[in-house]
Amino acid sequence: MDPCEVVVAVDLGGTRMKCALVAADGAVLHRETRPTPRAAGGRAVLDALLSTVVELGQKATAEGHRVRAIGVVVPGVIDAEHGTVGAENLEWVGTPVLAELQAAVRATGSDDVPIVLAHDVRAGGYAELRHGALAGTTNSMFLPLGTGIAAAMVVDGSLVSGDGYAGELGHSKFIYGDAAELCACGQWGCLETVASAAALARRYTARTGRTVDGAREVMELLAAGDEDAAAVWQVALTALIDALVLYTTLVAPTRIAIGGGLIGAGETLLQPLREGVHARITFQREPEIVAAVLGDEAGCLGAARMAWDRADEEEKNV
């Protein structure tokens, strides 16, 4: 590949980091995946992120490319004003991620490279909006169902950030009474406790005493007619339908793209969601419910697009 301008993009997940060097036309010049050392604690995770960003920049430079910007997307709640992140699964509490990234990049002599820090799900939604299942919409939602649940909300043509706090649909209460479980956020009965991929596996094991290899095995058992898998699945579907109807009533999306690990279930997930939402709709505008199309690259591609947007902004302001 001839030397060109690129951005560094990193999508930091709980188990791995997806990384890329991306050209202005969207071409991915380099891809790699690195482990996230979550078991070693929050500081180790941050250090691994800093090293990854610096090393990717060095790789780009060594190959003759010019790094125009850096995009990093992370889970949790991002304080957009201060660049701090709170993420329970990374052991980050008010962690100054943006300042640390800026210091690490500055130490390499790259003082003029802008850095974008954003939420991983919002970045994935932005990628789906620009190049994927939400293209052409002005009111829509990207809802990945993975280890956790969060939403990227597109309202009147804009991606809603809420100063870094918006979109935590997974931490809305949809389960009540004795069925409500304690969520990692400290509340009881959150959507995430029953409808995330992690919850399906955990709840099946709790119900049967049999350990399963993630949500995929629960779905295989469901397809084979396992009654316990069906019971766990029905609770998840009911809560998801409640969540989609609530969101539809409040924000009126024309399209909802479902992503994350559970989308591997395909129509086993999508069709009952469509039917359940349709049955509950009265006066509301009914959304089209589809599968997201960018898979686990959505966050990284969104990070790259956000980085290019920032680079273009800064060039216009020069």
Side-chain angles (χ1 to χ4, degrees), residues 133-134 137 139-144 152 169 240 243-245 247-248 252-259 270 273-274 277 285-292:
L134 299 182
T137 66
N139 290 281
S140 54
M141 176 173 68
F142 170 56
L143 186 67
L169 188 61
L240 281 169
L244 296 184
V245 170
Y247 186 86
T248 296
T254 58
R255 189 177 303 156
I256 296 172
I258 308 293
L270 294 175
L273 288 181
R274 294 186 190 112
V277 170
R285 177 169 64 182
E286 184 171 351
E288 180 185 13
I289 299 175
V290 302

Side-chain angles (χ1 to χ4, degrees), residues 142-226:
F142 170 56
L143 186 67
L145 306 174
T147 303
I149 298 176
M153 307 185 301
V154 179
V155 177
D156 293 341
S158 297
L159 195 66
V160 178
S161 169
D163 297 321
Y165 290 84
E168 295 295 339
L169 188 61
H171 295 295
S172 297
K173 186 178 180 71
F174 290 99
I175 306 296
Y176 295 86
D178 293 340
E181 300 176 31
L182 180 64
C183 182
C185 75
Q187 296 188 95
W188 289 81
C190 291
L191 177 67
E192 195 171 289
T193 64
V194 296
S196 66
L200 281 181
R202 176 180 50 75
R203 297 185 73 247
Y204 183 86
T205 296
R207 182 183 178 92
T208 65
R210 300 195 300 272
T211 301
V212 290
D213 184 20
R216 178 179 297 180
E217 187 174 347
V218 176
M219 300 311 300
E220 291 171 354
L221 290 163
L222 176 68
D226 185 289

Side-chain angles (χ1 to χ4, degrees), residues 10-69:
V10 179
D11 176 8
L12 176 67
T15 57
R16 57 194 175 125
M17 288 180 273
K18 292 176 279 293
C19 317
L21 298 176
V22 183
D25 62 359
V28 180
L29 308 187
H30 171 75
R31 283 184 178 89
E32 67 178 84
T33 301
R34 299 188 179 196
T36 300
R38 186 172 58 170
R43 183 69 236 183
V45 171
L46 182 56
D47 287 342
L49 173 63
L50 301 177
S51 308
T52 297
V53 168
V54 167
E55 289 166 15
L56 284 168
Q58 291 171 336
K59 177 178 178 59
T61 301
E63 294 178 0
H65 304 306
R66 178 192 172 202
V67 176
R68 287 287 309 281

